[in-house]
């Protein structure tokens, strides 16, 4: 089974920045694409960004130009750099393979508020 751990969320003011980290363990050698999702209460989980290095990076229109998905220097980890945060970015953020597996981590809460 694949285990996913998301870290780095918190409370930030509008216009601020956060960097989320995804750490993955388990049987992942065949997975070639990874993404970040977010979910707010009462709404469907949405795909925010994904990558299939080195040739493809995707961003939802709502975050394009503000968020950056990237591998980290550490093995089996990746980042989501979030800049110019808006209140509507408030959500629980998750990472997963593309396409997503049935298992999800606990996610990390991002709250953008004054």
């Amino acid at each position: 089974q694949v285990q996913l751990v998301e870290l780095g969320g918190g409370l930030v003011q509008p216009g601020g920045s956060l960097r989320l980290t995804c750490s993955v363990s388990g049987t992942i050698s065949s997975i070639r694409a990874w993404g970040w999702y977010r979910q707010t209460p009462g709404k469907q989980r949405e795909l925010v960004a994904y990558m299939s290095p080195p040739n493809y990076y995707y961003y939802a229109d709502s975050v394009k130009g503000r968020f950056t998905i990237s591998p980290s220097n550490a093995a089996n980890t990746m980042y989501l750099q979030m800049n110019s945060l808006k209140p509507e970015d408030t959500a629980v953020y998750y990472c997963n393979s593309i396409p997503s597996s049935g298992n999800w981590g606990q996610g990390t809460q991002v709250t953008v508020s004054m």
Side-chain angles (χ1 to χ4, degrees), residues 97-114:
S97 56
I98 304 294
S100 61
S101 69
N103 61 304
W104 297 83
Q106 290 187 332
T108 186
Q109 175 72 50
V110 172
T111 302
V112 185
S113 176
M114 295 297 296

Side-chain angles (χ1 to χ4, degrees), residues 68-107:
T68 303
I69 187 171
S70 63
S72 79
N73 290 329
N76 301 327
T77 64
M78 68 173 179
Y79 296 129
L80 184 67
Q81 178 67 45
M82 305 186 295
N83 298 326
S84 302
L85 283 161
K86 305 175 180 180
E88 50 263 45
D89 296 319
T90 296
V92 179
Y93 284 74
Y94 303 86
C95 60
N96 213 324
S97 56
I98 304 294
S100 61
S101 69
N103 61 304
W104 297 83
Q106 290 187 332

Side-chain angles (χ1 to χ4, degrees), residues 18-31:
L18 287 172
R19 188 179 72 177
L20 308 184
T21 301
C22 172
S23 298
V24 184
S25 62
T27 306
I28 60 172
S29 61
S30 64
I31 300 173

